[in-house]
Structure formats: structure tokens, C-alpha cells
């Protein structure tokens, strides 16, 4: 419950929480775009996604603790590559063997997420480890006399940049065209000679890599801690179900809708935080099962 | 099972030597070692505390050569994973399969509540760590003692200190949205407002809160914010609190788990100067702790905190009780009576138990400072012999409902 003490504090409430919503939306897009990509092409709810994200965060926390002054952007790139490689191996060695068994695939991704989270616990212990905010972004930004953390604003920029890059990749490149063909009609794509199995690996790497890099970038806000994976996975699911399966635009819009709903929900009705978070999803499933931007029968 | 001749001979010889060396063993009805069961969450989100509980108890036993009151001790550790149902299964396993003489732990209140009735029914002496108020108030068990603190026990002194010494008039509280957070904030509020202060806002955040930004932005202007959090949540909240530039505008104070040593070891200068309250600090200036805390730090490279101290003190209490009953742990009634009846000097100071089995002991106001390069909770004031009822009259206290989100009602909230 906020304080309606005068117009200024009213305005401050809406501005600050609005910015908060944007930054959470940005974070959610970094989390869920990879999930959406994988889901779209492979029809696979990759429940390891939260663990990939957490792996990125731990990677950043440990690397930046060991090498103080390590640049967060370099770390994000490195973590993205490492997690992409892990994802690729997992897809090649495990998932392809189960390709005739979709339920088995989903269960295996769940099992993998447990393995990763326990491995993190063994390797790095049960403490929460901070990811430092980059030095030049530590000072809060002052906007019209209101204070807001600079890093959160930058995070929104990162999400937008990622969205544009993914859009260009999907819309302007040959690889993107092949992926879109695979999303629309897998059998037909195979028939015209698109190597769908290789595409699966590439997309899985890409999705995992974005999650890993997103985990690094989300680190200064979230910190690395056991259970981060389980906290983040439902959020990715909500975004993707809301936005529409396999739709990049859906993931983008869905992320910011959830960002706003969650932030204002917790600010205005703190007791109902979780109800507010899941309510839009229930409505969407009930009235528009394909999601806001999903295609029917895809 | 086959026993070779050599094993048989060495076994008999060993037994002979043992009974010569420790003649009092012959008086005790010994059947093998004393078996202690430790319930600790070694996996899952509570793992940090659970692992410390095991390390400290193992260290205690090792310091005593795995022998308490002249009798060998065997430790059986069961991983509850921080899940009540698992805690129940493991407790049953410890009792039915391992036939333990007593249980130490578990860490979380919801785990402790899940097994409380079972342990009472099986009449097993339990040295508890979890803080749920009613376990030693409205629903005490004759088989349960708690050496740490109730949720609110350590909050009372800080509430009084905030008014009398720090001169705070308005405070905002924030805590995790479950019983531990509700109870601690309720106790803090009661003592703070009885001393003339005002709690102007109470925020409870879900246990799994990915982003604290929207909560930080709600915090109203006050003299201080009280963190009633546990585990990594307080630490994550605090970082956002600082990033929003709020630390320059109001002070931060915290409950017994908010800036525990296990949290501090991952923090930086942002923690400096924060006051918290607890029944322990690695910096405590008593002879026992001055020997133990550095030894722990040397071995594990960080300071012992709430969880490590909880099992170490459990070990000390158990040892004293076993000495009283001449190591006859099979007599559970006598063991429990000895645990409850003894006043034991421990690393946290003198531990006594009230008639409900809850500790009466010193509570310390601590300030985060830097010492030898690391962050420590240095003690600034000691409140001696704090009871779970604080300064309130016991009968009246127990007539009230247990502390909760809405009790006692907050009358000074700013809307």
C-alpha cells in the first residue's frame, strides 16, 4: 500500500514503480526469450532453463569474486558461451536420443535441472553470493529529482538490444528463415532439405546461451543462491504462455506485461503477490490458449 | 557374519582395556556408543545453515575425541533437505532404524513443527534450534528444549535499544512472509511501541522473491528499517536498498538472522555499521568462545554464526547432561531432566532453561565492523538473561494469541 501523501509522492510512486516494471520486464525477456525459441522449434518445455540461467549467475558470481574488476559484459559473453556449450552437449547426448518420446524429454530436462542445482550447491556451497554491480553504474541516476539505480536502466537497454539482435537473426538471416520454417511446419521443412536436427542443436545452444548471459546480467539484482533456478523457471513459463509459444514478439511483450503486473501487484496488493502474477496466465489459457501472439495450430 | 580369530581377540582385549581405563563405564548400562541424531538441511535453499550445523557438531565431537562423559559417541546426520515431510521421514529413520538417544535440530520451524508431535510421542529428548514461538509457549513438549531463541526473543532488546539508546521514533519492518518473520516483527513491534516508538509500515515479502525493487520503492521515510529476514533474502534486499540510494536516508537494523556471519562473509562495505541482535556472535568475549571461534575459523575459513553455534551449544548442553547422569543415555527421563535442569557455560554464555524448555540467556546487540580485513559482528551491548517473555508477565503473555501477521495489531501504520 503506497502513500498518497501529496501529488509529488504519488508521482514518484508511479514513476519509480514504472521504471521497476521496465527493468523487471527486461530481466524477464533475457530469461524467457531463449525458452521461447526452444519451445517454438522443438516443442519442448525445457525445464532446465532456470538452471541454465542460474549457472550463468553463479558463473558471474564466482568469476567476479575471483578476479575483481572483471568486466560484466565480458563475463556475460563468456558465461553465454559456456552455458551454450553445456546446452549443446546436453541436447546432442541426451535429448536427441529421446526424440520419439516427448514426455521423456521433458522429464529429462527436469532431472537435468536438479543435477545442475545440486552440482552448484556442492561446488559453491549454500550461501548467497553477490554479483557486483559494474563500478561505473553503481551511482544511482537522478531523474527529475527521483533516484533510480542506473544498472536497472541499462538492463532494459540490454533486453531491447537482445530483442533487436534476435529479431534480425530470425527475420534477416538464412538461419533465421530455416528456424522459422521449422517452427511453422517441421515435416515440410525436412522435406525441402532443411537439416532440422542440426537446427535443434543450434537453437538449443542459442537458447541456453541467452539464458546463461541473462543470468550474468541479472546477477547484480538477484545474486547467485541455491533455489534461484526454481524461482526463475515459473516466471519464464508464465511469460511464454502469456506471450505465445515460439513468438519472439510474444516473449518481449509478455515479459513487460508480467514486469508491470508483478511490480504494481506487489506494490498495491502485497498480500496477493502470487495470485496477481498467475491470474493473467489463467485468463490467457482459458480464453486464448495460443497466447497473445501465438499462432493457432502452430 | 563371520568374525576372524584376530578380530575376536583384539575386540576382547580392547573391551578389557576400556573397562580398566574407565571403570565408571561398568556402572552405566552401556550398550555401545551414545547415538546422536542430527537433523540438518544439507541440500536445498536452507543448505548453508544445515551444513554449518553439521560442521560445528562434528568439530565439537572431534574436540572431545568422540567421547562424552566417558562414553563413545556416534553421530548420525540425516539430511532433511529443508522439507517438512522429509524431516518427518528422517526423524523416524533416526529413531526406528538407528535407535538414537537424542536428536539435535532441525533448522526450520516448519520442519520442527512437522516432527514435534512424533518426537513427543516417542519420548525422545530433542535439543531444538528452530524458533517457532509456540513450541515453548502454548504447546510445549516435555521432551523438547530450545537453546537458541524464540522468533521474537532477540528482537525485544533491540526494540528497547532502538528507542532508549538510538532515539528512533519511527521504524519500518520488512521480513519474509512466513511465521518466523511474522513472529519476529510482531515481537519487535510490541516492545518498540511499548517503549513509545511507532511502527509506521510492515512489509512482508514472499519467501521466493526474485526482485526486491518494487518493495524497496515502497519503503516509507522513517528513522530506520528493521530486517526480520533469514538466509539470503535480507542480504539481497539490502543490496537493492542501497542501490536505490536509501541507506543514506535511513538506518538499517536487523534481527538475529539478518546479518548472520554466514551472510556477512559474502558482503562488502555496505554492511558496515548495521546493528543486529542475536544470542551469539563469533566475537563474543568469553573464554570458551575465544578458543572455539578462532579454531572454527582456522578450520573452515569463515566465522561460526547462528547455525554453527546452535549445534556447538547443543553439544555442550548434552555433554553436561550426560555427565550429570553418568552417561546413562538409555534413561531418557533422566537425560531430559538433566538437560533441562543444568545451567551450562557455553560459547554463547550461560544457558538456563525455563519451565517451558526455552533458553534464558544473554542477548547481544552487535555492530558490523571490520577486523583483520573481514566483517564481524562486534558486541556493543549485552542484555543479560533475556527470557522468551521479555519483561512481560508470563500468564498474561500466554493468554494472548501467538504472534502473527496481525497480532498484536499495528496501530500506527501510515497509509
Amino acid at each position: 500500500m503506497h502513500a498518497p501523501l501529496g501529488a509529488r509522492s504519488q508521482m514518484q510512486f508511479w514513476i519509480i514503480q514504472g521504471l521497476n516494471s521496465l527493468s523487471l520486464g527486461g530481466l524477464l525477456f533475457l530469461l524467457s526469450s531463449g525458452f521461447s525459441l526452444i519451445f517454438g522449434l522443438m516443442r519442448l518445455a525445457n525445464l532446465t532453463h532456470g538452471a541454465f540461467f542460474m549457472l550463468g549467475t553463479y558463473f558471474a558470481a564466482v568469476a567476479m569474486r575471483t578476479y575483481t574488476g572483471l568486466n560484466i559484459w565480458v563475463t556475460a559473453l563468456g558465461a553465454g558461451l559456456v552455458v551454450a556449450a553445456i546446452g549443446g552437449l546436453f541436447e546432442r547426448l541426451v535429448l536427441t536420443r529421446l526424440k520419439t518420446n516427448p514426455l521423456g524429454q521433458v522429464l529429462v530436462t527436469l532431472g537435468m535441472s536438479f543435477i545442475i542445482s545440486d552440482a552448484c550447491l556442492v561446488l559453491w556451497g549454500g550461501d548467497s553470493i553477490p554479483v557486483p554491480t559494474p563500478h561505473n553504474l553503481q551511482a544511482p541516476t537522478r531523474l527529475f529529482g527521483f533516484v533510480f539505480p542506473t544498472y536497472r536502466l541499462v538492463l532494459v537497454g540490454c533486453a531491447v538490444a537482445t530483442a533487436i539482435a534476435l529479431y534480425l537473426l530470425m527475420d534477416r538471416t538464412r538461419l533465421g528463415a530455416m528456424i522459422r520454417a521449422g517452427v511453422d511446419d517441421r515435416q515440410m521443412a525436412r522435406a525441402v532439405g532443411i537439416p532440422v536436427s542440426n537446427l535443434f542443436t543450434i537453437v538449443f545452444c542459442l537458447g541456453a546461451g541467452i539464458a546463461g548471459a541473462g543470468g550474468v546480467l541479472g546477477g547484480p539484482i538477484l545474486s547467485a543462491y541455491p533455489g534461484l533456478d526454481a524461482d526463475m523457471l515459473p516466471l519464464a513459463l508464465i511469460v511464454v504462455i502469456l506471450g505465445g509459444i515460439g513468438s519472439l514478439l510474444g516473449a518481449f511483450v509478455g515479459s513487460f506485461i508480467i514486469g508491470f503486473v508483478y511490480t504494481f501487484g506487489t506494490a498495491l496488493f502485497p498480500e496477493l503477490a502470487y495470485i496477481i502474477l498467475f491470474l493473467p496466465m489463467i485468463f490467457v489459457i482459458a480464453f486464448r490458449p495460443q497466447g497473445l501472439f501465438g499462432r493457432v495450430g502452430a | 557374519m563371520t568374525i576372524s580369530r584376530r578380530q575376536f581377540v583384539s575386540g576382547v582385549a580392547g573391551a578389557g582395556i576400556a573397562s580398566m581405563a574407565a571403570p565408571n563405564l561398568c556402572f552405566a548400562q552401556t550398550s555401545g556408543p551414545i547415538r546422536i541424531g542430527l537433523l540438518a538441511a544439507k541440500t536445498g535453499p536452507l543448505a548453508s545453515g544445515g551444513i554449518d550445523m553439521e560442521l560445528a557438531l562434528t568439530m565439537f565431537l572431534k574436540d572431545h575425541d568422540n567421547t562424552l562423559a566417558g562414553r563413545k559417541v556416534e553421530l548420525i546426520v540425516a539430511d532433511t533437505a529443508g522439507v517438512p515431510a522429509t524431516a518427518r521421514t528422517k526423524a523416524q529413520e533416526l529413531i526406528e532404524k538407528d535407535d538414537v538417544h537424542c536428536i539435535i535440530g532441525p533448522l526450520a520451524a516448519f520442519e520442527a513443527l512437522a516432527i514435534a508431535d512424533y518426537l513427543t510421542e516417542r519420548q525422545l529428548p530433542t535439543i531444538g534450534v528452530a524458533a517457532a514461538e509456540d513450541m515453548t509457549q502454548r504447546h510445549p513438549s516435555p521432551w523438547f528444549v530450545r537453546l537458541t531463541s524464540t522468533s521474537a526473543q532477540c528482537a525485544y532488546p533491540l526494540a528497547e535499544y532502538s528507542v532508549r539508546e538510538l532515539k528512533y521514533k519511527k521504524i519500518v519492518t520488512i521480513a519474509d512472509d512466513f511465521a518466523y518473520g511474522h513472529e519476529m516483527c510482531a515481537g519487535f513491534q510490541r516492545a518498540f511501541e511499548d517503549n513509545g516508538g511507532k511502527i509506521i509500515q510492515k512489509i512482508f515479502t514472499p519467501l521466493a522473491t526474485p526482485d526486491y525493487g518494487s518493495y524497496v520503492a515502497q519503503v516509507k521515510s522513517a528513522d530506520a528499517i528493521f530486517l526480520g529476514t533469514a538466509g539470503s533474502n535480507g542480504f539481497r534486499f539490502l543490496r537493492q536498498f542501497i542501490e536505490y540510494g536509501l541507506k543514506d536516508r535511513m538506518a538499517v537494523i536487523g534481527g538475529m538472522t539478518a546479518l548472520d556471519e554466514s551472510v556477512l562473509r559474502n558482503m562488502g562495505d555496505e554492511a558496515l555499521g548495521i546493528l543486529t541482535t542475536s544470542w551469539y556472535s563469533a566475537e563474543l568475549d568469553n573464554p570458551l568462545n575465544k578458543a572455539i571461534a578462532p579454531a572454527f575459523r582456522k578450520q573452515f575459513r569463515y566465522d561460526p554464526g547462528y547455525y554453527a553455534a546452535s549445534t556447538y551449544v547443543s553439544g555442550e548442553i548434552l555433554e553436561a547432561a550426560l555427565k550429570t547422569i553418568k552417561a546413562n543415555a538409555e534413561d531418557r527421563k533422566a537425560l531430559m531432566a538433566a538437560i533441562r535442569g543444568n545451567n551450562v557455560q557455553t560459547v554463547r554464555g550461560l544457558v538456563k532453561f525455563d519451565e517451558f524448555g526455552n533458553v534464558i540467556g544473554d542477548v547481544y546487540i552487535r555492530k558490523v565492523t571490520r577486523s583483520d580485513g573481514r566483517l564481524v559482528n562486534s558486541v556493543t551491548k549485552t542484555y543479560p538473561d533475556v527470557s522468551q517473555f521479555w519483561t512481560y508477565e508470563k500468564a498474561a503473555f500466554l493468554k494472548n494469541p501467538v504472534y502473527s501477521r496481525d497480532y498484536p495489531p499495528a496501530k500506527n501504520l501510515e497509509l
Side-chain angles (χ1 to χ4, degrees):
Chain A
M1 268 154 276
H2 64 284
L5 295 173
R8 190 186 152 75
S9 107
Q10 268 287 4
M11 197 168 86
Q12 167 161 7
F13 171 81
W14 292 102
I15 289 178
I16 297 287
Q17 296 294 26
L19 289 173
N20 262 332
S21 310
L22 281 180
S23 66
L24 180 60
L27 182 66
L28 289 178
F29 179 73
L30 292 172
L31 168 74
S32 56
S33 53
F35 186 88
S36 180
L37 273 179
I38 294 171
F39 206 144
L41 182 68
M42 300 173 68
R43 305 281 191 284
L44 166 70
N46 172 29
L47 301 183
T48 319
H49 206 73
F52 285 152
F53 185 89
M54 179 173 77
L55 216 46
T57 316
Y58 265 111
F59 189 93
V62 174
M64 293 170 88
R65 183 171 65 178
T66 318
Y67 308 99
T68 37
L70 192 65
N71 187 311
I72 194 164
W73 313 111
V74 177
T75 316
L77 191 67
L81 291 174
V82 170
V83 177
I86 294 172
L89 282 175
F90 176 56
E91 202 277 335
R92 275 277 118 157
L93 298 178
V94 183
L95 288 180
T96 42
R97 286 165 205 270
L98 294 168
K99 62 186 161 200
T100 54
N101 178 1
L103 188 60
Q105 283 190 325
V106 174
L107 284 177
V108 139
T109 61
L110 182 63
M112 185 68 183
S113 79
F114 290 144
I115 292 174
I116 291 179
S117 58
D118 257 15
C120 287
L121 185 63
V122 170
L123 279 174
W124 298 303
D127 292 341
S128 156
I129 311 173
V131 177
T133 311
H135 269 292
N136 46 355
L137 301 176
Q138 267 174 2
T141 300
R142 284 171 206 286
L143 290 166
F144 320 111
F146 304 129
V147 181
F148 197 76
T150 312
Y151 183 75
R152 287 183 177 243
L153 296 174
V154 174
L155 196 62
V156 181
C158 289
V160 173
T162 310
I164 293 173
L166 282 175
Y167 169 75
L168 291 178
L169 174 77
M170 297 296 281
D171 219 58
R172 297 292 157 85
T173 65
R174 196 180 143 76
L175 176 67
M178 291 197 290
I179 293 174
R180 275 181 291 134
V183 170
D184 283 345
D185 192 329
R186 197 191 295 178
Q187 302 302 333
M188 191 54 84
R190 269 218 175 87
V192 299
I194 294 173
V196 175
S197 296
N198 287 345
L199 274 189
F200 276 21
T201 312
I202 293 171
V203 164
F204 202 87
C205 284
L206 185 63
I210 297 172
V216 175
L217 297 178
I221 292 177
L222 300 166
S223 303
Y225 61 98
L228 176 63
D229 53 338
D231 286 357
M232 297 316 277
L233 184 62
L235 294 174
L237 287 171
I238 296 172
V239 166
V240 171
I241 290 171
L242 184 69
I245 286 158
S247 158
L248 201 58
L249 180 64
F252 191 74
V253 176
S255 297
F256 285 99
I257 291 179
I258 293 297
F260 272 90
V261 167
Y262 179 82
T263 306
F264 280 98
T266 53
L268 295 171
F269 314 101
E271 291 84 5
L272 306 176
Y274 271 79
I275 298 174
I276 288 167
L277 193 54
F278 284 90
L279 214 54
M281 191 178 87
I282 293 171
F283 275 112
V284 166
I285 290 176
F287 298 110
R288 199 178 155 81
Q290 72 274 29
L292 296 177
F293 295 90
R295 268 168 289 184
V296 184
Chain B
M1 198 172 79
T2 55
I3 297 172
S4 72
R5 204 176 134 241
R6 179 181 299 204
Q7 276 171 342
F8 178 76
V9 170
S10 68
V12 170
I17 290 166
S19 57
M20 275 191 293
N24 62 342
L25 270 178
C26 304
F27 297 106
Q29 305 159 358
T30 55
S31 56
I34 297 171
R35 288 176 299 278
I36 306 173
L38 172 66
L39 287 169
K42 297 203 298 174
T43 52
L46 303 177
S48 171
I51 291 167
D52 275 3
M53 284 166 66
E54 183 182 2
L55 290 180
L57 189 57
T58 313
M59 177 179 153
F60 172 81
L61 293 175
K62 219 170 135 196
D63 288 351
H64 290 75
D65 208 12
N66 288 311
T67 308
L68 295 182
R71 192 169 156 191
K72 277 281 172 203
V73 172
E74 188 186 335
L75 177 67
I76 302 140
V77 185
D79 178 12
T80 64
V83 178
T86 315
R88 176 70 168 74
T89 315
K90 294 291 176 180
Q92 197 163 1
E93 220 175 279
L94 286 176
I95 295 177
E96 310 283 349
K97 184 171 138 267
D98 300 311
D99 193 21
V100 295
H101 295 99
C102 71
I103 281 184
I104 296 175
L107 179 158
F110 49 70
E111 295 177 296
L113 291 168
I115 62 171
D117 287 346
Y118 174 68
L119 294 179
T120 307
E121 179 194 314
R122 296 304 307 262
Q123 309 201 331
L124 199 84
T126 306
I127 303 180
V129 172
E133 296 264 323
D134 259 358
M135 294 184 76
T136 56
Q137 288 170 10
R138 290 159 200 86
H139 307 290
S141 158
W143 297 95
F144 178 85
V145 292
R146 162 164 49 208
L147 71 298
T148 50
S149 157
T150 64
S151 306
Q153 195 170 355
C154 292
Y156 300 124
L158 182 63
E160 188 187 287
Y161 188 85
S162 299
V163 177
R164 295 198 185 161
E165 315 244 347
L166 302 170
K167 311 290 178 206
Y168 293 157
K169 294 184 177 66
K170 291 181 177 181
I171 284 185
V172 173
T173 67
I174 183 162
D176 300 313
D177 198 356
F178 68 152
Y180 175 69
H182 300 159
E183 289 178 356
M184 185 190 292
C185 287
F188 183 85
Q189 174 193 316
R190 185 176 179 188
F192 186 63
E193 299 203 329
D194 285 351
N195 273 287
K198 281 184 177 154
I199 299 293
I200 60 160
Q201 186 183 24
K202 291 172 92 171
I203 303 174
F204 292 108
T205 58
L207 208 47
T209 299
D211 180 11
Y212 280 98
S214 73
Y215 294 102
V216 172
Q218 292 174 52
V219 172
K220 294 189 204 311
S221 158
D223 294 318
I225 184 164
F226 172 77
L227 296 180
T229 48
S232 65
N233 283 349
F235 152 89
R236 297 196 302 126
F237 173 83
L238 196 57
R239 279 202 64 201
Q240 297 308 316
F241 188 79
I242 292 160
E243 299 228 326
Y244 279 76
L246 286 174
K247 207 188 165 204
D248 310 325
R249 302 224 308 258
M250 57 204 284
V252 180
I253 55 178
M256 61 186 172
T257 42
L259 287 191
D260 184 53
E261 278 76 358
S262 63
V263 177
L264 269 190
R265 64 190 181 227
N266 288 303
M267 293 190 78
D269 284 345
E270 72 270 18
L272 284 174
I274 296 179
L275 286 171
T276 56
T277 176
S278 178
W279 49 269
Y280 179 74
S281 160
E283 295 294 293
L284 280 190
D285 194 12
N286 67 51
L288 283 167
N289 191 57
K290 287 209 107 159
I292 302 307
F296 187 95
R297 180 164 60 245
K298 197 167 168 218
Q299 201 172 340
F300 305 112
R301 297 182 178 200
Y302 54 82
D303 281 326
Y306 183 106
Y307 305 103
S310 72
T311 50
Y312 202 94
V313 175
S314 301
E316 291 174 305
I317 290 168
L318 188 63
E319 185 193 17
L322 287 170
K323 276 184 181 155
T324 311
I325 60 166
K326 306 226 176 352
N328 184 9
E330 279 72 18
D331 187 347
R332 291 174 178 182
K333 274 215 167 104
L335 176 59
M336 200 61 213
I339 289 174
R340 280 174 170 249
N342 277 341
N343 295 347
V344 189
Q345 275 298 344
T346 69
V347 290
R348 69 161 283 186
L350 185 67
V351 169
K352 292 175 279 193
F353 291 106
D354 62 19
E355 71 261 43
F356 300 91
N358 192 66
V359 62
I360 299 172
D362 294 354
V363 170
Y364 309 96
I365 308 291
R366 323 166 308 169
K367 185 181 200 168
V368 179
T369 57
R370 221 173 243 297
S371 157
D372 300 333
R374 66 185 205 287
L375 295 174
V376 297
N377 282 315
S378 53
V379 176
T380 58
K381 180 161 182 165
T382 303
Y383 281 81
D385 291 335
V386 175
S387 135
Q388 61 175 334
F389 302 110
W390 186 225
T391 54
Y392 301 110
E393 204 270 311
K394 189 164 51 193
F397 187 106
L398 289 173
K399 262 192 208 131
N400 290 327
V402 67
Y403 290 149
S404 67
R405 220 171 194 276
D406 309 308
Y407 187 86
K411 298 198 180 90
N412 298 305
L413 297 185
E414 286 181 2
L415 292 175

